[in-house]
Amino acid sequence: MRRARIALVGGVTAIAVLVSVRGVRAEEIEKKWRLGLSISGTSTTDQAQSPSANVRTLFNTDGSFFNTIEDPRNDSAAFSNFGVNGGLGGTVTASYAFTRNWYIEGSAGYRQADVANVEVQAEFTGAPIPNLQDFGFRIFNVNAGTLKQIPLQITGGYRFRPKATFNPYLCAGIGYVLNTYTPSSELDQLSINLENSLGGFARLTGFSIGGESFLQPSGFQSLRGIKVDAPSTPEYHFGGGVEITFKHKWAVFVDARYAVYSGRFNMTINGSSNQLGISVPADQVVINQAGALGPFGAYLIPTGGLIDGGSLVPAVTAPPGTNCATQPFLCQLTGPKDGIPDPGYYYVHAGSIRWDGATLNIGVKYTF
């Protein structure tokens, strides 16, 4: 993303330099074709916010404060939201002007972006919990892979100063984006670890005043992996920009557009949900309201595991010669990673997001 910003800032700087010098009059484009080539940067607007810092506030029926239910996860993850990152790309355009002012344009582009921050939080069995805390969840953010897109657009536009050096315009149109998603090796491994694990829902009980804990699951079952749906989808867009003629038949342009897509990027975990575990909502409810106390909680995975959290080493109080393979109850999970996923309480958070967003194109056009 840093390279994308540098490239776009450099392009805008070049345009500013051209504006500061005297240009030539714009080429007459009525009944003519134009070809354009540009680099582009995209930025999506939708994200699935991490629920790790959520708190539900409970009130009595008379409106007085009763208590709170706090999500048990490490709330440092609240800034790591699931979404499609911005990225660089390129676009080729061909346009035909019916009049000096009105034109129609067809374009095809290519862009690529990372899908980031599938949040995994784990409280590993045998890992010590910090003093004065009810839980000891650790955060693992997984890069989910790469989304490649080929946007195809048909756009109509109106040029306000067709013969001037500096020529602003507005545009709008429709299109279709072809999507190809490639999962990362990290996400593939997380999905495999899910399918190799047994787990059960552990309900969160208690309140922040007096402490919270998990109930033992009523049973355990095989977990299912991760599925991703990234359908190709139609869109509509609108925007505008400016052309600056710097040479006979040649112009540079800056084009900003906002596109709205009908489809969504959807990642499901262990079936049809966007998360493993049930998050505490960030809201306020009356204590006797249905569902006021849950169910909220994590998944306890006693067999298997999703993340390698370390290895068992004898606890400080363990007798000399303790063997953690045969006496794990005398050990703590504080040793180095051993390549084996570890059991414990787990949350996994992804989401269903739109990829609506803005695109900034900087390039050149040539008139035939």
Side-chain angles (χ1 to χ4, degrees):
M1 189 58 189
R2 183 173 181 271
R3 289 181 297 173
R5 291 195 187 100
I6 292 173
L8 291 176
V9 169
V12 171
T13 302
I15 295 297
V17 172
L18 286 170
V19 171
S20 67
V21 300
R22 183 177 180 181
V24 297
R25 286 184 62 80
E27 181 74 13
E28 178 62 68
I29 70 166
E30 185 175 1
K31 309 300 183 185
K32 292 183 180 180
W33 288 92
R34 309 179 83 192
L35 291 180
L37 181 65
S38 64
I39 60 171
S40 62
T42 60
S43 178
T44 56
T45 57
D46 195 17
Q47 292 183 324
Q49 183 177 2
S50 170
S52 60
N54 286 357
V55 177
R56 166 168 278 191
T57 305
L58 303 172
F59 292 91
N60 293 307
T61 54
D62 62 1
S64 61
F65 173 77
F66 176 74
N67 219 315
T68 59
I69 303 175
E70 298 181 2
D71 196 283
R73 278 167 284 191
N74 187 330
D75 58 13
S76 297
F79 301 101
S80 300
N81 299 330
F82 174 75
V84 179
N85 292 340
L88 276 177
T91 304
V92 177
T93 63
S95 62
Y96 180 79
F98 297 101
T99 70
R100 283 184 171 185
N101 300 94
W102 290 99
Y103 68 90
I104 189 169
E105 174 190 271
S107 64
Y110 174 84
R111 57 191 181 223
Q112 178 175 312
D114 290 334
V115 183
N117 292 337
V118 175
E119 179 191 318
V120 182
Q121 291 218 34
E123 181 181 285
F124 298 108
T125 301
I129 296 175
N131 291 334
L132 304 179
Q133 294 186 23
D134 295 330
F135 304 99
F137 279 94
R138 293 167 56 185
I139 306 166
F140 303 87
N141 281 327
V142 176
N143 186 305
T146 303
L147 181 67
K148 298 177 181 179
Q149 297 182 308
I150 298 177
L152 306 173
Q153 295 183 339
I154 297 176
T155 306
Y158 182 85
R159 305 166 74 237
F160 289 93
R161 305 175 67 216
K163 292 298 291 180
T165 300
F166 188 86
N167 180 23
Y169 61 88
L170 293 177
C171 61
I174 60 174
Y176 195 84
V177 63
L178 304 172
N179 293 312
T180 302
Y181 169 73
T182 304
S184 68
S185 58
E186 292 178 274
L187 191 74
D188 280 340
Q189 188 61 56
L190 179 61
S191 184
I192 291 171
N193 291 346
L194 277 161
E195 293 173 348
N196 290 337
S197 298
L198 293 177
F201 178 69
R203 181 169 179 159
L204 182 67
T205 184
F207 305 98
S208 61
I209 300 175
E212 295 179 318
S213 61
F214 290 119
L215 295 175
Q216 183 72 13
S218 58
F220 298 95
Q221 59 277 333
S222 296
L223 301 181
R224 288 175 283 177
I226 295 172
K227 293 184 178 180
V228 175
D229 186 26
S232 299
T233 178
E235 56 89 13
Y236 67 88
H237 56 273
F238 52 88
V242 62
E243 299 175 2
I244 303 172
T245 300
F246 67 95
K247 188 178 180 181
H248 179 58
K249 295 188 176 183
W250 287 92
V252 295
F253 69 94
V254 177
D255 181 288
R257 301 182 185 184
Y258 190 88
V260 178
Y261 298 91
S262 63
R264 302 179 71 93
F265 182 95
N266 188 44
M267 181 178 291
T268 57
I269 302 161
N270 190 35
S272 59
S273 176
N274 297 126
Q275 59 182 341
L276 184 73
I278 301 177
S279 304
V280 174
D283 60 6
Q284 300 179 355
V285 298
V286 177
I287 187 63
N288 66 349
Q289 182 177 328
L293 302 182
F296 314 121
Y299 262 72
L300 173 60
I301 300 179
T303 303
L306 307 186
I307 299 292
D308 177 10
S311 57
L312 288 172
V313 296
V316 176
T317 57
T322 296
N323 186 337
C324 291
T326 58
Q327 299 171 295
F329 54 89
L330 296 176
C331 301
Q332 292 183 332
L333 192 78
T334 57
K337 293 183 178 181
D338 55 10
I340 301 173
D342 293 299
Y345 292 96
Y346 279 94
Y347 286 92
V348 183
H349 177 258
S352 176
I353 57 171
R354 302 184 69 89
W355 42 60
D356 300 355
T359 302
L360 180 65
N361 291 276
I362 301 174
V364 295
K365 290 183 179 179
Y366 178 78
T367 303
F368 289 90

